Amino acid sequence: MLEKSEQVYAQLGKNLSITSNAVTAAEIVLDTAQELIGWEACYLILYDPEQGTRPRPLLTIDTIDGKRVVQHDAAPEKPSKNMLKAIRESGYLSLYEEPFEVSPSLSFGNRAHRTLSQLFVPVRSGDRTIGVLSIQSYKVKAYSENSLEVLKTLSNHCAGALERIWAQEALAQMVERLKVLYQATHAISASLDLEQLYDSIHTTVEKVMPCDDFVIDGYDENTNEIIPIYAVEYPRKRIFTEKYFADHGMAGKVVHTHMPVLLNNVADMDGSGIDFELYGSAPTDPTQSILAVPMLLHGKIVGMISAQSYKENAYTREDQYLLELLAAHAAIAIENARLFTKAQQLADMDSLTEVLGRRKFYELAEAEFERAKRSKKPLTIIMLDVDEFKKFNDRFGHKVGDNVLKLVAKQCKSSLRDEDIFGRLGGEEFAAALPDTDLNQAMIAANRLRKIVEETDLSEIKDGMIDMTTGKSSTKNALRVTVSVGVAACDETCNKIDTVIDRADQAMYLVKHAGRNQISIWNNNGAEQ
């Protein structure tokens, strides 16, 4: 007939074999400890020193006023000294003669009444530590070395089942996280708006791992610079930083080694040798854990993605794996979105002069027109036409004509404000929309444009220029560029931007017929100089 202890262990194995729930398994183990040894307080906490993550409590029980109180969330942010000692010494016994003080962060249950007899043993499956089991009593010398050996035996009997259950739970959690990642990659791949794309990547990271701060950095291989792309600090506050040389900083480390960085406490950060590039509004950096992975595109390093937590031991190798998967998709999606954005920009720009094309100018001018009508703010349009441009082409060739248009566009664009809208409408005709600018201010701007074109240095164009009518080199004074300018303001009689542009155009053509290189203003009586 089996001894009682053998019967208990046999039943323990049977009960653990039919459960896949870690908390239920903990209840079975602690009930067995109660039957074999007895306790008034106890805990079973999962912790793997190799992973270095935060301890995970399965079950914590205390006896308060004769009643058992169960806690499922009582665990320190990091392993307690008792846990580490149990792992280091393969279990130990603590006996006290009277109550003693314990930090609330390292205790559980009735903190006003301390246990006087304590047993701590590691839970090991083979060479791997997966947790710590402790039973405790409020009685003096309730346990002995023999009690410790019994608890070690119990730990050995339950270790394999606990490891299996933990692995099953970890796999199930990983599957769920991969599902989130899989679903997110479809949205990420479909996004062609860069800001929306960055936000989608950030949101995905928040769903699958701790993320107080988040960073996406690009890398310019030609200049060896880290280019900030997207950075957010808690609580989801967008911040903007300057580019820096990749000879330091976490991003510099990642892009040059092509390797991830996983640091789970400040001591590891200080010992990493990384000269971190600090950012954000906090007076001191609250980061306790960092995970950063490279972004690779066709085997080439293009940047880095980093999640950061204000808690220690926030990240695992599983988190690193997930972030690496996401970074691979992100690199492709960001490149696609950039190419799309670049194509859009090229479509919006005039290919010759590199200012806005007709369609984009009208689109932006129309938006400003609607804003001006709503806010009752002034809006003016300036039309410019290069004088006698056909003669340039006929006399000096289209190459010279093209260079003249480029120079006129460059000079005009540089003399306008950033908020002004400037574009080429076609041929030698240009237009500017001036938000929050009345007619008098627009006249000053128009005259400035006229003068800057007239005074433009054309020496680069003149060098080697041939007069096609004579076949001889042209003299330096042969080429002189001027523009005719028309100005019109938006008023209550304008129901669309086309009306304002048409009026400025009429004013400009009045100048054409009146001698060129002048300015004309349109009023409700028509155009006048």
Side-chain angles (χ1 to χ4, degrees):
M1 186 173 179
L2 293 174
E3 294 182 7
K4 179 183 176 182
S5 62
E6 293 177 333
Q7 292 175 343
V8 170
Y9 290 132
Q11 188 63 43
L12 171 68
K14 180 180 178 180
N15 292 339
L16 288 175
S17 68
I18 60 175
T19 184
S20 59
N21 182 277
V23 175
T24 301
E27 291 173 349
I28 294 169
V29 172
L30 292 172
D31 284 346
T32 304
Q34 173 71 356
E35 186 174 355
L36 291 171
I37 308 171
W39 50 260
E40 292 166 287
C42 61
Y43 67 69
L44 178 53
I45 294 178
L46 295 182
Y47 174 68
D48 184 347
E50 294 299 317
Q51 292 187 4
T53 53
R54 179 181 176 179
R56 176 192 168 193
L58 292 183
L59 198 58
T60 304
I61 303 175
D62 195 9
T63 303
I64 303 176
D65 296 329
K67 296 181 180 180
R68 288 191 172 177
V69 178
V70 177
Q71 293 179 271
H72 294 287
D73 58 352
E77 291 286 331
K78 55 185 178 180
S80 66
K81 291 181 179 179
N82 288 337
M83 291 177 62
L84 295 175
K85 183 177 179 181
I87 294 169
R88 185 173 62 251
E89 298 183 6
S90 296
Y92 71 98
L93 165 66
S94 290
L95 300 174
Y96 302 92
E97 297 294 334
E98 56 186 25
F100 57 95
E101 291 294 326
V102 177
S103 170
S105 66
L106 300 176
S107 62
F108 64 93
N110 185 3
R111 295 183 174 89
H113 187 197
R114 304 310 319 152
T115 56
L116 299 176
S117 300
Q118 304 171 346
L119 293 174
F120 301 90
V121 298
V123 181
R124 289 197 176 110
S125 179
D127 294 331
R128 182 193 177 197
T129 297
I130 61 172
V132 174
L133 170 62
S134 173
I135 62 172
Q136 303 174 22
S137 173
Y138 290 106
K139 299 172 184 176
V140 176
K141 297 180 180 179
Y143 303 130
S144 64
E145 289 297 331
N146 183 61
S147 305
L148 179 61
E149 292 305 314
V150 173
L151 194 63
K152 286 182 181 180
T153 302
L154 173 60
S155 171
N156 292 335
H157 274 80
C158 71
L162 287 174
E163 183 179 40
R164 169 184 59 80
I165 294 169
W166 193 5
Q168 288 175 339
E169 286 191 347
L171 179 60
Q173 291 169 0
M174 177 60 82
V175 168
E176 290 303 313
R177 296 166 81 193
L178 285 170
K179 284 181 181 178
V180 171
L181 200 62
Y182 176 75
Q183 292 167 354
T185 55
H186 285 285
I188 289 170
S189 298
S191 179
L192 292 173
D193 180 275
L194 282 169
E195 283 300 313
Q196 290 181 3
L197 174 58
Y198 302 146
D199 186 72
S200 293
I201 296 169
H202 180 198
T203 300
T204 302
V205 173
E206 287 180 315
K207 288 179 179 178
V208 298
M209 67 186 68
C211 184
D212 292 311
D213 292 353
F214 181 73
V215 176
I216 303 176
D217 281 334
Y219 175 59
D220 187 331
E221 186 180 39
N222 295 323
T223 62
N224 190 33
E225 288 179 317
I226 300 299
I227 312 298
I229 294 176
Y230 180 88
V232 174
E233 68 173 352
Y234 182 85
R236 255 189 173 271
K237 178 185 176 183
R238 183 72 185 272
I239 56 176
F240 299 90
T241 57
E242 299 295 326
K243 63 183 180 180
Y244 62 92
F245 285 111
D247 57 357
H248 71 288
M250 180 172 61
K253 175 85 170 179
V254 171
V255 300
H256 282 304
T257 63
H258 293 205
M259 295 294 291
V261 170
L262 198 166
L263 303 169
N264 266 326
N265 54 64
V266 174
D268 286 350
M269 294 178 205
D270 292 341
S272 68
I274 299 174
D275 180 13
F276 289 94
E277 184 79 10
L278 300 179
Y279 66 91
S281 57
T284 57
D285 190 354
T287 302
Q288 300 289 310
S289 301
I290 291 176
L291 176 59
V293 300
M295 281 198 299
L296 297 165
L297 185 64
H298 310 308
K300 180 181 178 182
I301 190 77
V302 294
M304 174 211 75
I305 292 180
S306 173
Q308 299 166 27
S309 173
Y310 297 165
K311 294 182 178 180
E312 284 191 356
N313 301 314
Y315 300 113
T316 65
R317 293 299 172 187
E318 285 79 9
D319 295 322
Q320 178 184 313
Y321 171 70
L322 290 172
L323 196 58
E324 286 173 330
L325 284 179
L326 182 60
H329 286 281
I332 297 170
I334 290 172
E335 179 66 11
N336 289 342
R338 280 178 172 167
L339 291 174
F340 177 78
T341 301
K342 186 175 181 179
Q344 273 195 319
Q345 290 172 342
L346 289 174
D348 292 340
M349 307 300 286
D350 176 64
S351 59
L352 175 66
T353 61
E354 297 182 350
V355 297
L356 294 176
R358 181 185 184 89
R359 182 188 61 80
K360 193 62 177 180
F361 174 83
Y362 268 85
E363 178 186 322
L364 296 179
E366 179 66 34
E368 279 300 329
F369 175 81
E370 295 298 333
R371 188 185 71 85
K373 297 290 278 187
R374 287 194 307 271
S375 62
K376 301 188 183 306
K377 296 286 184 66
L379 172 67
T380 50
I381 297 292
I382 297 176
M383 295 289 292
L384 306 93
D385 191 90
V386 179
D387 294 328
E388 298 185 310
F389 182 70
K390 186 176 183 300
K391 290 185 178 180
F392 289 127
N393 284 337
D394 292 344
R395 185 175 179 185
F396 303 112
H398 289 283
K399 183 177 180 181
V400 173
D402 286 349
N403 288 333
V404 167
L405 293 178
K406 290 179 185 178
L407 210 51
V408 168
K410 180 181 178 182
Q411 293 294 83
C412 290
K413 177 70 174 164
S414 65
S415 69
L416 292 169
R417 303 170 300 180
D418 290 341
E419 61 266 35
D420 295 332
I421 302 166
F422 183 72
R424 180 188 179 196
L425 301 192
E428 63 271 26
E429 193 172 71
F430 298 87
L434 280 55
D436 303 324
T437 305
D438 61 27
L439 206 51
N440 290 332
Q441 294 169 323
M443 284 295 292
I444 294 172
N447 192 52
R448 184 172 68 249
L449 293 175
R450 184 195 64 79
K451 287 188 67 177
I452 201 169
V453 172
E454 184 180 23
E455 296 170 359
T456 296
D457 181 8
L458 301 174
S459 57
E460 292 184 12
I461 297 177
K462 291 175 182 176
D463 289 345
M465 188 172 65
I466 303 297
D467 188 327
M468 298 179 71
T469 60
T470 64
K472 298 179 180 180
S473 296
S474 176
T475 63
K476 289 187 177 181
N477 297 323
L479 186 60
R480 179 171 174 266
V481 179
T482 61
V483 289
S484 296
V485 185
V487 183
C490 173
D491 59 27
E492 64 279 358
T493 66
C494 302
N495 58 4
K496 55 184 179 179
I497 191 64
D498 301 65
T499 304
V500 192
I501 294 174
D502 183 61
R503 289 174 176 179
D505 197 47
Q506 291 180 44
M508 180 190 69
Y509 274 98
L510 178 65
V511 173
K512 288 287 187 185
H513 296 302
R516 305 179 185 86
N517 193 25
Q518 300 176 52
I519 299 172
S520 175
I521 183 172
W522 193 97
N523 59 38
N524 288 328
N525 296 319
E528 63 179 30
Q529 288 181 269

